[in-house]
Amino acid sequence: MRKLTKLAAAAFCAAAISGPALAQDKIVISNWDGYMPADMLERFTEATGIEAELAVHATNEEIMGKVVAGRGKGYDVVFVSSPFVEALKALGLAAELDHDKLPNLKNLYPEAAQLEYDPDNQVSVPYAWGTTGLCYRSDLVSQTPDSWMDLLRPSDDLKGKVTMLSTDRWLMAAAFLAQEQSVNTTDQGALDAAKDLLVEAKQSLLAYDDTTFYSKLVSGEAWLVQAWDGWCNYGVAENDAIKYVIPEEGSDLWVDAMVITEASENKDAAHAFLNFVLEADNGAWVPANILYKTPNQAAMAALDPALIEQFPNLGMDPETLLAQEQLRDLGDGQRAFSRTVTEVLAAE
Amino acid sequence: MPRSLLRDWILLGPGLTWLALLLVAPCAIVFFFAFFERGVYGGVDYVFGFDNFGRAFDPLYLSIFLKSAKIAGLATLVALLIGYPAAYAIARAAPRRQTVFLVLVMLPFWSNYLIRTYAWIVLLNREGLINQALTALGLINEPLSLLYNEFAVVTGLVYNYLPFVILAIFASISRLNPETLEASEDLGASSVRTFFRVTLPLTIPGVAAGAVFVFVLSIGNFITPDLLGGGRIQMVGNIIYDQFLTARDWPFGATLSMMLIGVMMILLFTQAMVVRRMQGDREGAHA
C-alpha cells in the first residue's frame, strides 16, 4: 500500500485545499506521487489524443476527503486502496464500469475479479496488490520468524529491535491474526484482547514505523519489522540477507485500485485511461520499478525472472494472495476501532 | 471618519483580511464541525449534538492531554535554562558580535524542519554518531537508547524552538535601561544580586513570551513525537492528526482541536496579563 510520509501528507493538505481546475476536454487523475510511470500521461495522450492532468495525493484519506467534500467534481479517475473503493461505492461516488470499454481487462488474473470489496470489478480495477507480513534480517535473527507472535512477543535477542506499522488497520491486524480473528472485526471483545496483546508488544518495540522500517533493517537498528511486501523489497534491494515471510496465521490482502468518479463528465475518456493502464507494458512498470505485485497477468508473465529471483515475494501467485483476508471498510465500527488504536499508541 | 483612522484601516486591511480568511474562518469551521457526527464512510453527518465533547473528556484523551502538557512543559523549562544564559551573553556581547551570534541562532531555520528532525535520528539512533563516538572512546559497551523515547522528543522540541526563546529574551534584555543596573551596583549590590533582583524581574515579559512560544508550539506538535518518539509517545497533535487522516472522524478531531486551541488561548491570555501587569508596575513606579 502506497503511503507517503504523514508529514508530506500534512504539508500537502495545506497546499491542496483547492482542487484541480475543471476542464471539459481533459481528464484529471489523482494518484500517489511516483505510483505510475512519469511519462504515463504523456504516452496516454499520444496514444489516444485525450489530454490528461495528474493531481497527486499523499494518502487515501486525503483524496477521500476531497472527493467526499466535492462529490467527486474535478476528478475523473482516482487511485485508492480497497476499503476506500468500498466507501466510494457506498457513497454513490464511484461510477459503474462499462466492461465493453475495457477490453484490456482480459490481461488481469481471473482472481482480480473475485475481490470481495468489489466483485466482478463493478466500480474498480485493481492496480497493485500485496500482503503485510514480517521482513527480517536472516543473518541476525537466531530463529527464522514464522508467526505474528515472533513480532508481538519477541525472543530476548529481538527485544528493542522490532518495529510495527502504526497505521490503524495493520497495527490491529497483527494482533487480530495472531488471535485468529478477522482483520475486519470490530467486536469489542476482540478489540480488547488485541489491545492487551499490542500494549504488551509495545514494551519490546523499538518504534512504530510506517515509512523507514526497511532502512532500519539495512542499518541493523531493527532485525524484524512488520512490513508491506513491496516495501520489504526496498530493503532487499540494499541487503539480500533481508527476507520476507507471511506468518503462518496469514496476512491481509490489500489492493490499490482505480475508480472512475460518478461526477466525471468524461467517462469515456476515463475508461480509455483505465484501459491504457491495463496494457501489459504499462502494468509491467509496477513490479519492475516499485517492486509491487500487480494483478495484471500479462505484465507479471513478461517480468524478468532475475527480478523474481532477487525479490522472491514478487513471485507470489494470485491463489496465495487471494487466500489472505481482504481488508474491508469498517463502517460504523470505526469509532470503537480507532479508540482502541489510540489506547495502544498512548499506552506507557 | 478622521483621516488618520482611515489610514490605519487601510494599512491594517491586508493583515486583517489575511487573518479573517486564513485564521478566523478555518477556526470557525473547526468549531462548527465539533458539534456533528462522523458519517459511516467518513465525512460529516449533520446531526447536532455534544457527543464529541463527552468522548473528549474520556480519561484516555485527558491523559494524552496531560502527557502532552508534561512534555511541552519539560521542553519549555529546558529551553529557558539554555536560552536565558545564551540571550544574556548575546545581549552583553559587543554589537558587532551580536549580529553574528543572532545570525547563528537563526541559522537552523535556513533548513527544513523535517531535515533537522531527521538529522537528530542520525545522531541519536543505536547505530548513530553519538553511540559510535561513545563506543569508540570506550565510554560505553552497549549502545545507549537515546532515540524513540521521551528524552528524544524533548530534545527535538527544545532544539527546534530554542531560537524563539533566545530571541524573545534577547529583545527583553537589550531593552533594559543600563542605568537601572548601574543604580543597583552603585547601591552596593553584587552582580549576582543585581541579576536576580533587577535584570531577571525586568525581563520576565521576555521569558513569558519565549516560554509560551515553546509550550504552545510543543503541545500541538505531532512530527517530533512521531519521528523522534518513534510513534511510541502520543501527543494531542498526534491524536488530532489520526482522527482527521486515519480514522476520518473529522468532527471528533475538530472537538479535540477546539480543546487544544482553548488551552493555548488561556496560556496566551496569561502571558498577556503578565506583560500588562509588569508594565503597569513600572508605570506605577514612575508615578
Side-chain angles (χ1 to χ4, degrees):
Chain A
M1 170 139 337
R2 196 71 182 168
K3 181 171 183 305
L4 294 182
T5 71
K6 291 182 171 181
L7 319 148
F12 194 81
C13 281
I17 290 165
S18 62
L22 280 170
Q24 284 291 338
D25 53 345
K26 182 189 238 184
I27 57 169
V28 176
I29 292 138
S30 192
N31 196 354
W32 288 275
D33 198 10
Y35 208 34
M36 62 185 178
D39 63 350
M40 177 86 109
L41 298 187
E42 209 174 299
R43 287 189 294 112
F44 170 67
T45 306
E46 258 169 49
T48 61
I50 302 167
E51 293 281 323
E53 180 189 318
L54 177 67
V56 173
H57 55 259
T59 61
N60 280 305
E61 291 78 8
E62 180 194 330
I63 185 62
M64 192 68 190
K66 289 198 252 179
V67 168
V68 170
R71 302 293 300 166
K73 282 221 163 47
Y75 295 97
D76 299 281
V77 177
V78 293
F79 284 70
V80 288
S81 302
S82 48
F84 297 84
V85 171
E86 205 168 356
L88 286 173
K89 190 175 176 177
L91 291 168
L93 298 172
E96 192 93 15
L97 295 182
D98 181 348
H99 287 204
D100 292 338
K101 292 176 186 152
L102 299 170
N104 284 335
L105 274 177
K106 68 175 188 327
N107 285 342
L108 294 182
Y109 290 108
E111 285 83 355
Q114 298 162 13
L115 299 166
E116 292 156 14
Y117 65 86
D118 183 30
D120 303 318
N121 308 115
Q122 287 169 17
V123 299
S124 71
V125 173
Y127 177 72
W129 57 7
T131 58
T132 313
L134 303 176
C135 186
Y136 61 99
R137 282 281 294 261
S138 61
D139 55 336
L140 296 176
V141 296
S142 56
Q143 258 187 323
T144 306
D146 60 2
S147 159
W148 284 108
M149 278 305 181
D150 293 328
L151 179 82
L152 297 168
R153 285 198 187 125
S155 54
D156 284 342
D157 61 321
L158 283 175
K159 286 207 162 81
K161 297 194 175 70
V162 295
T163 75
M164 291 185 73
L165 299 171
S166 69
T167 305
D168 56 354
R169 297 304 301 272
W170 290 287
L171 173 72
M172 295 295 283
F176 286 153
L177 289 165
Q179 294 172 328
E180 295 179 337
Q181 294 286 344
S182 157
V183 297
N184 298 308
T185 185
T186 53
D187 171 74
Q188 195 57 49
L191 288 174
D192 289 340
K195 181 191 83 184
D196 291 343
L197 183 54
L198 289 171
V199 169
E200 181 194 331
K202 191 175 180 182
Q203 312 310 316
S204 4
L205 217 57
L206 173 68
Y208 292 106
D209 191 340
D210 290 351
T211 46
T212 60
F213 48 83
Y214 61 92
S215 4
K216 289 196 170 85
L217 281 181
V218 173
S219 75
E221 234 188 310
W223 294 1
L224 168 66
V225 303
Q226 182 188 11
W228 299 295
D229 46 15
W231 282 57
C232 184
N233 289 338
Y234 303 154
V236 179
E238 290 183 53
N239 182 340
D240 58 15
I242 294 176
K243 310 270 181 228
Y244 178 80
V245 64
I246 297 180
E248 58 189 15
E249 300 94 342
S251 161
D252 63 284
L253 167 65
W254 55 260
V255 185
D256 289 339
M258 299 177 280
V259 173
I260 298 180
T261 60
E262 183 58 40
S264 168
E265 291 171 10
N266 299 283
K267 291 207 179 67
D268 284 348
H271 277 86
F273 177 77
L274 261 54
N275 198 49
F276 185 74
V277 174
L278 287 171
E279 279 181 13
D281 290 351
N282 289 327
W285 180 89
V286 173
N289 288 277
I290 50 174
L291 308 176
Y292 278 41
K293 289 171 281 297
T294 168
N296 193 319
Q297 184 167 20
M300 291 306 279
L303 199 61
D304 180 358
L307 208 60
I308 298 182
E309 203 170 308
Q310 191 186 356
F311 304 106
N313 78 54
L314 283 181
M316 202 183 288
D317 54 47
E319 295 81 46
T320 309
L321 284 162
L322 265 283
Q324 317 304 326
E325 196 189 0
Q326 298 169 32
L327 279 185
R328 306 290 299 274
D329 190 88
L330 297 175
D332 272 335
Q334 179 75 47
R335 185 190 275 203
F337 187 90
S338 47
R339 188 183 184 282
T340 307
V341 173
T342 306
E343 281 184 294
V344 172
L345 293 178
E348 293 287 338
Chain B
M1 200 184 281
R3 263 181 68 182
S4 66
L5 195 61
L6 183 67
R7 187 198 60 205
D8 288 352
W9 278 107
I10 290 171
L11 289 175
L12 280 171
L16 286 178
T17 314
W18 180 271
L19 283 178
L21 284 179
L22 298 174
L23 184 75
V24 179
C27 282
I29 294 171
V30 169
F31 186 74
F32 177 75
F33 273 2
F35 296 95
F36 296 97
E37 276 178 21
R38 175 189 192 267
V40 178
Y41 295 100
V44 179
D45 265 0
Y46 294 98
V47 182
F48 186 85
F50 295 92
D51 192 28
N52 292 323
F53 290 89
R55 283 168 75 195
F57 282 101
D58 180 323
L60 171 64
Y61 300 108
L62 287 181
S63 73
I64 295 173
F65 260 95
L66 284 179
K67 172 122 193 174
S68 311
K70 187 190 127 197
I71 290 176
L74 208 54
T76 308
L77 186 67
V78 177
L80 287 177
L81 289 176
I82 300 175
Y84 199 101
Y88 190 83
I90 296 173
R92 290 280 167 275
R96 193 166 40 86
R97 293 219 184 118
Q98 264 182 14
T99 320
V100 176
F101 289 145
L102 289 174
V103 168
L104 287 175
V105 168
M106 298 294 293
L107 202 60
F109 288 121
W110 293 9
S111 73
N112 180 284
Y113 182 94
L114 263 185
I115 293 172
R116 285 180 278 141
T117 305
Y118 272 104
W120 278 103
I121 297 181
V122 174
L123 284 173
L124 296 177
N125 80 63
R126 286 179 70 86
E127 313 290 325
L129 294 176
I130 291 179
N131 271 316
Q132 279 179 13
L134 291 177
T135 312
L137 290 171
L139 293 173
I140 50 169
N141 298 320
E142 278 277 294
L144 302 173
S145 295
L146 301 172
L147 195 55
Y148 312 127
N149 50 31
E150 219 173 282
F151 165 79
V153 176
V154 172
T155 306
L157 293 172
V158 169
Y159 165 75
N160 274 306
Y161 300 136
L162 186 60
F164 294 117
V165 174
I166 295 181
L167 293 179
I169 298 177
F170 168 79
S172 188
I173 296 178
S174 48
R175 270 203 306 267
L176 270 187
N177 184 349
E179 285 170 13
T180 53
L181 304 180
E182 283 163 20
S184 168
E185 275 167 36
D186 290 349
L187 291 169
S190 67
S191 51
V192 174
R193 192 152 180 220
T194 303
F195 175 78
F196 282 106
R197 297 295 296 274
V198 182
T199 312
L200 189 58
L202 287 176
T203 51
I204 286 294
V207 173
V212 168
F213 259 132
V214 182
F215 191 89
V216 165
L217 291 173
S218 296
I219 199 171
N221 191 308
F222 62 92
I223 296 174
T224 301
D226 203 46
L227 291 178
L228 298 182
R232 299 168 50 109
I233 301 196
Q234 287 282 299
M235 291 178 58
V236 201
N238 301 94
I239 36 170
I240 294 176
Y241 178 97
D242 285 343
Q243 290 304 322
F244 274 95
L245 288 173
T246 308
R248 278 175 293 141
D249 194 339
W250 292 8
F252 188 49
T255 310
L256 293 170
S257 304
M258 287 313 302
M259 291 175 63
L260 184 57
I261 292 173
V263 170
M264 291 178 177
M265 299 263 274
I266 292 171
L267 284 169
L268 289 169
F269 181 72
T270 313
Q271 183 230 342
M273 291 298 287
V274 167
V275 173
R276 238 177 109 167
R277 237 190 66 197
M278 296 283 304
Q279 282 167 348
D281 281 358
R282 241 174 290 172
E283 273 155 29
H286 285 300

